[in-house]
Amino acid sequence: MQDNVNDAPANAHAPGVDIIAQNVVKIFGEGAGQVRALDDVSVTIHENEFFTLLGPSGCGKTTLLRLIAGFDHPTSGTIRLEGQDISHLPPYKRPVNTVFQNYALFPHMTVAQNIGFGLEMLGRSNSDVADVVDKMLALVRMGELRDRRTDQISGGQQQRVALARALAPRPKVLLLDEPLSALDYKLRKDMQIELKRLQHETGITFIFVTHDQEEALTMSDRIAVMSRGQILQIGSPRQIYDHPAERFVADFIGDTNFLIADVTSSAGGKARLLLSSGREVNADLPEGMTPSGRVTAVVRPEHATLVTPGEGELDGMLENVVYLGTDTHYHLKLSDNAPFVVRSQNQRNEDEVFAVGETVGIALESDSLQVLRD
Amino acid sequence: MTSSSNNDPSVFAEQLAVRRHWLLCAPALTVLFLAASGPLLIVLVYSFLESGEYGGVVWKPSVDAWFRVVFQRDIFDDTLSLADAHLKILWRSMRLSFFTTITTLILGFPTAYFIATRPQNSRNIWLFMVTVPFWTNLLIRTFAIMEVIRNEGMINTLLIFIGVIDAPVQMMNTDFAIMVGMTYVYLPLMVLPLYAAMERLDFSLVEAAYDLYATRLKVLWRVIIPLVRPGVVAGSILVFIPALGAFVTPRVLGGGKKMMLGNLIELQFGAGRNWPLGAALSITLLAVVMVALLVYVRTVQKNAELQR
Ligand SMILES: Nc1ncnc2c1ncn2[C@@H]1O[C@H](COP(=O)(O)OP(=O)(O)OP(=O)(O)O)[C@@H](O)[C@H]1O
Ligand SMILES: [Mg+2]
């Protein structure tokens, strides 16, 4: 069934799975000084997907990427590409290309030579190489600068050359290690859109590394949130944002309110929670969890509104009001002293209804609570 | 700049700055002249004088020394012929220096690469070990080499002992011996600039090349060598120049028969008692070095441009 998989590099639309990492462990160093950079990571990345590895500095994102690229090899576990175990293949035998964080463009070659390098190494004919280089230059809109040296172009241009160089050999998987982190805000936004366009046009699987949650949410088909060498949760941006399963995920992505509550009943992925205010609400459960006793639930600030005391699910004292133009943030203290933030979108000519020091009610949107797997 | 320049304050300030510039340079220039140009000038002047009977020079202008660099006069019938002994020595010097440069490059490149790819803290130890031979006198190091390669030396004894050969292989007093000695002596001069260039090499470029389907050999040719080219140039120059003028190593390992330019020059100032000829030969050596350097640098540049 998989007989000609290797002969069809450009056939990006074949069904199936692109990359599977299975129980991958990577340990650097020995003895007391050893670092467990990846601790039993398993993930399946689908064909043609924009997959993002998101996590704080040092959580192992680059390490995982380097294992997929072949610059390093797992201490244990396997990495498969289309069913084939590639864990110990050298980089030049993998149909995987990388856009490096610092771009790593060859300083002794022109823009065009950089882009053509991979094809040249694959032994393509000169006219073939020239053809693809022209196409790539057009794709990343760098035609005029083809004969420039790479140290004579701007950061954003270097980034596009790095992208074109990695795309030119038509890899099955493109790895991008924080490629936008060196760019300023405006350029970054433009490049985000451009990257999405390129992924769409080429149909290549993108594995994208970032520690910017906003970037991850806007660009990805799916996100894996990492912490300390482990993948905590994998899901679509919406799943990750609306249904964080762990405290770390909820905290890392977006602003979050944490509520302590008691479970009164649970069934079918839902639970009934008794809040500190004495009222009961519905909450979603993480997959496969049967909760009991005391749990932590999260609710996003934009899913709560201020109401007159007693009318909401919670009561609190208004401590601070922060006006942010589009939004206003209301910082409250709940009856059990826990902090709580309510975000509301501003209307024009709105009157300030709630004053600091006042006791107010907090209404939670139905279905806005998520229980954490603590 | 339309006003008269003499009393324009900005022009005055500029003149002052220029004067100060030269004043500040003066000590360096003096040292440079005394240490480099001065002796060279003396050598140049000597080469145009007549030789004294017991060494030294007679202050009478003459081009005889220069004449004798290339030609020799027959003692009996005064006929002229090319000084083929000199030309042979010149040729041998260039050839041996060239091959020494090549062998140090071949040995030094992987060594430098090895050191540059070690973890930061162990690199210094390796570098230190490269420079350890410098701590011993050149003569002693050369005798050590002799101990290794002479007929009763370590290599021959070992080979005879394990029965590979019956009689010792003659290595002493050959060009081979000189080359082995010079390679050993000048290797650090190749390793150090190569290492300096490789240390500055961004190894993510090497990874990028691997990532783009370059095999190890291709990475070496297309990425590493072009990027450490300045180190290769510096190392080659640092080895070639002293090798061309070497005289201790060829004297000890070449046994006095296989002379190099350095020995020839030394001979003129010593037993030969022909200082002007020695001086003329020295200048010739200088000229050869300069021409060789020019050709080399030109070639390297042209190659670099072809790569672009
Ligand atoms: N070659 C190495 N030798 C030793 N430790 C390493 C090595 N490479 C990475 N580590 C360690 O492994 C852990 C994960 O590193 P990694 O570079 O994957 O983090 P990251 O998620 O990419 O972080 P960042 O966002 O800062 O790039 C870190 O603790 C790091 O110090
Ligand atoms: Mg990283």
Side-chain angles (χ1 to χ4, degrees):
Chain A
M1 195 189 103
Q2 297 210 326
D3 40 32
N4 64 352
V5 167
N6 290 331
D7 308 327
N11 187 3
H13 298 286
V17 163
D18 240 339
I19 289 230
I20 303 178
Q22 238 166 1
N23 307 104
V24 170
V25 174
K26 179 67 189 177
I27 296 172
F28 288 112
E30 279 161 22
Q34 81 178 30
V35 181
R36 233 177 154 71
L38 290 178
D39 188 4
D40 196 19
V41 166
S42 294
V43 57
T44 299
I45 298 162
H46 303 297
E47 190 101 45
N48 206 353
E49 190 171 35
F50 198 114
F51 192 89
T52 298
L53 299 173
L54 174 65
S57 187
C59 70
K61 306 180 296 287
T62 298
T63 305
L64 182 54
L65 223 55
R66 290 174 60 82
L67 294 188
I68 297 173
F71 303 133
D72 264 319
H73 302 288
T75 308
S76 69
T78 56
I79 294 170
R80 288 169 191 286
L81 178 63
E82 295 184 322
Q84 187 200 356
D85 186 353
I86 59 166
S87 318
H88 295 281
L89 285 184
Y92 53 87
K93 288 195 179 151
R94 304 183 185 206
V96 175
N97 287 145
T98 309
V99 178
F100 292 83
Q101 184 159 5
N102 63 353
Y103 311 142
L105 297 177
F106 303 124
H108 56 299
M109 298 181 198
T110 63
V111 166
Q113 285 168 335
N114 264 279
I115 297 175
F117 188 83
L119 291 163
E120 205 186 313
M121 292 300 115
L122 283 172
R124 300 288 166 75
S125 71
N126 284 351
S127 62
D128 249 20
V129 175
D131 258 15
V132 178
V133 168
D134 283 343
K135 279 202 195 100
M136 282 298 145
L137 283 167
L139 189 68
V140 296
R141 301 179 184 132
M142 289 284 295
E144 293 100 83
L145 299 179
R146 59 174 303 144
D147 293 322
R148 278 285 183 89
R149 283 177 44 161
T150 53
D151 51 6
Q152 292 167 344
I153 57 178
S154 76
Q157 290 165 342
Q158 289 183 8
Q159 206 266 325
R160 280 183 281 169
V161 175
L163 202 59
R165 184 180 71 173
L167 282 172
R170 277 251 149 196
K172 287 179 181 158
V173 181
L174 188 72
L175 309 176
L176 304 104
D177 192 356
E178 307 203 32
L180 307 182
S181 61
L183 308 181
D184 61 44
Y185 184 79
K186 174 82 176 58
L187 191 54
R188 205 178 161 124
K189 290 284 152 202
D190 291 347
M191 287 308 301
Q192 286 179 359
I193 294 166
E194 203 148 342
L195 270 183
K196 274 304 267 185
R197 172 179 73 90
L198 283 173
Q199 198 249 342
H200 201 76
E201 282 175 18
T202 55
I204 292 171
T205 306
F206 277 35
I207 304 180
F208 184 85
V209 163
T210 181
H211 57 246
D212 179 338
Q213 44 126 342
E214 192 190 320
E215 191 167 276
L217 292 174
T218 52
M219 300 180 73
S220 322
D221 293 325
R222 285 196 306 152
I223 299 171
V225 182
M226 294 183 69
S227 167
R228 298 180 184 190
Q230 292 181 318
I231 292 184
L232 298 181
Q233 191 175 356
I234 302 175
S236 68
R238 198 162 267 283
Q239 279 167 344
I240 296 273
Y241 187 79
D242 286 344
H243 303 285
E246 309 216 17
R247 179 179 288 268
F248 180 88
V249 178
D251 214 15
F252 192 71
I253 296 173
D255 300 322
T256 311
N257 295 305
F258 293 96
L259 297 172
I260 307 291
D262 292 306
V263 179
T264 54
S265 67
S266 72
K270 297 261 183 198
R272 212 60 207 142
L273 300 184
L274 178 66
L275 298 177
S276 60
S277 60
R279 264 151 288 188
E280 284 201 2
V281 288
N282 280 330
D284 291 319
L285 289 172
E287 210 175 305
M289 180 182 175
T290 33
S292 60
R294 191 139 273 208
V295 294
T296 306
V298 290
V299 58
R300 298 290 182 187
E302 64 272 25
H303 294 149
T305 42
L306 293 188
V307 291
T308 44
E311 285 190 3
E313 281 76 21
L314 293 162
D315 291 311
M317 205 261 286
L318 188 55
E319 287 198 313
N320 198 5
V321 179
V322 182
Y323 176 75
L324 292 168
T326 56
D327 293 338
T328 302
H329 289 189
Y330 298 94
H331 294 261
L332 302 116
K333 188 175 264 178
L334 301 183
S335 45
D336 62 355
N337 271 338
F340 196 97
V341 179
V342 172
R343 179 190 298 163
S344 81
Q345 205 164 27
N346 291 326
Q347 312 293 323
R348 210 164 134 81
N349 299 327
E350 198 176 17
D351 287 333
E352 298 230 355
V353 193
F354 303 99
V356 170
E358 221 181 318
T359 300
V360 295
I362 302 165
L364 306 177
E365 274 175 33
S366 63
D367 244 4
S368 61
L369 266 79
Q370 171 73 33
V371 175
L372 297 181
R373 196 194 307 246
D374 266 321
Chain B
M1 277 296 166
T2 44
S3 63
S4 106
S5 60
N6 258 356
N7 38 22
D8 186 330
S10 76
V11 168
F12 181 67
E14 207 170 285
Q15 283 170 346
L16 206 66
V18 168
R19 199 171 305 157
R20 182 179 306 136
H21 173 78
W22 282 110
L23 268 173
L24 285 174
C25 287
L29 289 176
T30 312
V31 170
L32 206 64
F33 177 79
L34 289 180
S37 319
L40 209 62
L41 217 64
I42 295 175
V43 174
L44 187 67
V45 169
Y46 272 29
S47 75
F48 287 104
L49 296 177
E50 270 180 21
S51 66
E53 206 162 325
Y54 303 104
V57 286
V58 178
W59 284 84
K60 261 198 267 167
S62 157
V63 289
D64 192 50
W66 281 101
F67 192 73
R68 298 243 333 241
V69 168
V70 194
F71 299 108
Q72 60 193 9
R73 186 165 280 142
D74 197 285
I75 4 175
F76 299 113
D77 55 9
D78 258 12
T79 52
L80 284 180
S81 60
L82 276 179
D84 51 350
H86 290 180
L87 294 179
K88 225 182 241 166
I89 288 171
L90 177 65
W91 173 238
R92 169 184 297 122
S93 298
M94 298 210 326
R95 202 183 52 201
L96 286 182
S97 305
F98 176 76
F99 284 116
T100 301
T101 309
I102 298 292
T103 46
T104 51
L105 190 57
I106 290 170
L107 293 174
F109 198 94
T111 311
Y113 189 84
F114 174 83
I115 298 174
T117 49
R118 288 315 93 190
Q120 187 68 52
N121 43 359
S122 60
R123 282 185 213 168
N124 288 336
I125 300 173
W126 289 107
L127 277 182
F128 173 75
M129 279 166 45
V130 167
T131 55
V132 160
F134 277 140
W135 293 30
T136 348
N137 181 286
L138 171 62
L139 203 56
I140 294 174
R141 273 182 284 158
T142 312
F143 275 115
I145 287 280
M146 186 167 118
E147 204 44 50
V148 174
I149 63 173
R150 70 198 174 95
N151 285 3
E152 300 80 30
M154 279 157 45
I155 292 182
N156 275 319
T157 313
L158 184 76
L159 287 182
I160 291 173
F161 179 75
I162 59 175
V164 179
I165 50 174
D166 299 327
V169 177
Q170 176 68 37
M171 287 182 281
M172 275 301 291
N173 305 340
T174 62
D175 284 354
F176 171 77
I178 299 177
M179 251 190 61
V180 168
M182 292 208 298
T183 302
Y184 168 62
V185 168
Y186 296 126
L187 189 56
L189 297 180
M190 181 61 88
V191 172
L192 294 179
L194 275 179
Y195 166 77
M198 284 180 194
E199 199 204 14
R200 262 180 282 125
L201 179 71
D202 177 1
F203 275 89
S204 68
L205 296 176
V206 175
E207 287 190 341
Y210 276 134
D211 191 55
L212 292 163
Y213 313 105
T215 55
R216 288 185 172 78
L217 211 63
K218 288 259 177 61
V219 172
L220 183 66
W221 274 116
R222 296 294 308 275
V223 176
I224 298 176
I225 289 181
L227 289 176
V228 301
R229 181 169 280 139
V232 175
V233 173
S236 306
I237 290 172
L238 282 181
V239 171
F240 185 76
I241 293 177
L244 205 54
F247 76 97
V248 170
T249 312
R251 160 72 76 76
V252 175
L253 298 175
K257 278 200 156 179
K258 303 278 181 184
M259 265 203 262
M260 284 179 62
L261 260 182
N263 306 106
L264 188 61
I265 292 169
E266 190 232 12
L267 184 70
Q268 305 313 321
F269 284 100
R273 290 188 194 145
N274 194 341
W275 287 24
L277 179 55
L281 286 168
S282 300
I283 304 278
T284 309
L285 175 61
L286 195 76
V288 169
V289 166
M290 295 226 288
V291 170
L293 275 189
L294 254 154
V295 170
Y296 180 59
V297 172
R298 278 276 167 78
T299 320
V300 168
Q301 266 173 359
K302 205 167 278 171
N303 275 345
E305 264 150 34
L306 281 182
Q307 285 250 327
R308 285 191 187 286

